[in-house]
């Protein structure tokens, strides 16, 4: 039996603090309406690109419906995409050290960085699960763009990297790459990649909810203009939901 089913999706929503009535709307009512209208069960979709396509189709379907404040179908698909993406994000984090090493040694040309919309990255298989490719060159460009300093506090010094001869920092996608399906433009872009010292990088992953919120608030305010300039629209509340 697939782990992507009504019971596990409902449990995921419950952990996020949603009310029982909202859980039923997402996991049952919206699913059944979408199945009746489009003949697609989102519980049969496990790859992120297929769920993104369904999300767009449902948005079109909603546009054809009479105005109704209780419509929540695209929201349900978005929540299901977050549910599936959360599993991909775990796989990504398990290979984080490899990615950081790739970023550390990759060579880039010194060039002016344009903050503009980019294409969505290609899909890749990571530990048997589909996710989106993270280009180490783009991450290295982001670290260079932020002058190899920690964006939480530029006074966070670590050590001099033998590869870059600069202060050692790590690349972190503010909007995790697994949630690419929620956006029309690529999120593997300099505007969405943070430069963090190792301690702050671990803190944004493993600290308490309050500390995470504090960090995300600070970083969101720093990045929101660049995100909008690259076509990436997200509210601070929506960003919290991808972490908490």
């Amino acid at each position: 039996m697939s782990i992507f089913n009504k019971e596990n999706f409902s449990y995921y929503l419950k952990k996020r603090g949603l009310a029982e009535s909202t859980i039923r709307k997402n996991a049952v009512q919206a699913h059944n309406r979408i199945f009746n209208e489009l003949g697609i069960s989102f519980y049969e979709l496990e790859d992120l690109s297929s769920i993104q396509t369904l999300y767009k189709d449902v948005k079109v379907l909603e546009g054809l419906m009479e105005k109704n404040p209780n419509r929540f179908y695209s929201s349900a698909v978005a929540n299901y995409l977050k549910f599936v993406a959360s599993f991909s994000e775990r796989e990504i984090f398990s290979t984080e050290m490899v990615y950081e090493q790739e970023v550390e040694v990759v060579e880039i040309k010194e060039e002016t960085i344009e903050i503009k919309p980019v294409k969505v990255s290609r899909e890749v298989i990571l530990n048997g699960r589909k996710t989106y490719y993270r280009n180490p060159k783009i991450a290295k460009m982001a670290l260079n763009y932020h002058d190899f300093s920690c964006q939480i506090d530029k006074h966070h010094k670590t050590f001099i990297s033998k590869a870059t001869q600069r202060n050692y920092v790590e690349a972190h996608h503010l909007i995790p790459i697994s949630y690419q399906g929620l956006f029309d433009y690529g999120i593997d872009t300099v505007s969405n990649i943070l430069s963090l010292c190792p301690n702050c990088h671990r803190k944004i992953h493993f600290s308490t909810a309050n500390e995470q919120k504090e960090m995300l608030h600070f970083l969101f305010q720093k990045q929101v203009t660049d995100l909008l300039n690259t076509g990436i629209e997200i509210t601070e509340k929506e960003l919290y939901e991808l972490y908490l």
Side-chain angles (χ1 to χ4, degrees):
M1 182 180 178
S2 170
I3 58 174
F4 302 122
N5 54 51
K6 181 181 71 176
E7 289 72 25
N8 287 341
F9 182 39
S10 298
Y11 179 67
Y12 165 80
L13 296 173
K14 185 176 182 178
K15 281 178 61 180
R16 282 181 45 199
L18 274 65
E20 287 295 330
S21 59
T22 304
I23 293 172
R24 284 195 301 275
K25 285 181 179 180
N26 279 262
V28 180
Q29 296 171 26
H31 169 271
N32 293 347
R33 178 64 185 271
I34 292 166
F35 182 77
N36 290 335
E37 295 286 345
L38 300 176
I40 298 174
S41 167
F42 54 62
Y43 294 126
E44 295 178 357
L45 303 179
E46 297 187 4
D47 66 277
L48 300 173
S49 60
S50 294
I51 303 170
Q52 181 186 31
T53 299
L54 177 62
Y55 175 70
K56 291 179 179 178
D57 289 344
V58 171
K59 292 284 283 188
V60 171
L61 179 64
E62 283 183 330
L64 299 175
M65 295 177 181
E66 294 182 7
K67 290 186 178 180
N68 181 344
N70 295 317
R71 289 185 311 193
F72 48 83
Y73 308 113
S74 62
S75 175
V77 179
N79 281 329
Y80 181 74
L81 189 150
K82 293 174 187 177
F83 164 60
V84 175
S86 67
F87 286 85
S88 293
E89 196 58 27
R90 294 175 205 172
E91 299 294 344
I92 285 175
F93 191 77
S94 71
T95 61
E96 191 71 19
M97 184 59 73
V98 174
Y99 173 68
E100 294 297 348
Q101 289 173 345
E102 291 174 343
V103 173
E104 187 70 2
V105 301
V106 71
E107 294 184 3
I108 58 171
K109 295 179 180 179
E110 293 288 337
E111 56 187 46
T112 302
I113 294 173
E114 293 186 72
I115 302 298
K116 62 180 183 180
V118 300
K119 293 181 180 179
V120 173
S121 299
R122 71 179 188 273
E123 284 190 326
V124 295
I125 303 296
L126 182 62
N127 294 340
R129 196 179 302 283
K130 279 189 178 181
T131 187
Y132 294 89
Y133 176 64
R134 296 180 296 173
N135 188 335
K137 286 188 177 181
I138 295 176
K140 188 66 159 283
M141 291 169 65
L143 299 186
N144 190 54
Y145 180 67
H146 295 298
D147 199 31
F148 293 89
S149 62
C150 179
Q151 287 180 262
I152 293 294
D153 187 338
K154 65 181 180 180
H155 296 105
H156 288 176
K157 301 299 181 183
T158 55
F159 56 88
I160 301 300
S161 161
K162 65 181 179 182
T164 64
Q165 295 300 303
R166 302 292 302 275
N167 180 53
Y168 177 80
V169 285
E170 296 176 347
H172 173 74
H173 287 71
L174 180 61
I175 302 169
I177 194 68
S178 294
Y179 299 101
Q180 173 64 75
L182 295 171
F183 303 91
D184 292 328
Y185 294 102
I187 60 174
D188 187 38
T189 178
V190 169
S191 66
N192 186 46
I193 298 177
L194 307 172
S195 171
L196 299 176
C197 71
N199 189 60
C200 286
H201 194 185
R202 296 301 174 272
K203 184 177 179 181
I204 204 168
H205 281 289
F206 299 121
S207 62
T208 63
N210 285 340
E211 287 185 307
Q212 275 189 321
K213 274 193 172 184
E214 185 178 306
M215 292 181 78
L216 291 170
H217 170 74
F218 179 75
L219 293 168
F220 179 80
Q221 297 304 317
K222 277 193 167 192
Q223 298 297 122
V224 63
T225 299
D226 279 355
L227 288 173
L228 289 173
N229 287 337
T230 46
I232 302 169
E233 297 183 12
I234 188 171
T235 66
E236 194 169 326
K237 180 178 181 294
E238 290 169 338
L239 180 64
Y240 290 161
E241 290 177 352
L242 302 183
Y243 282 80
L244 306 176

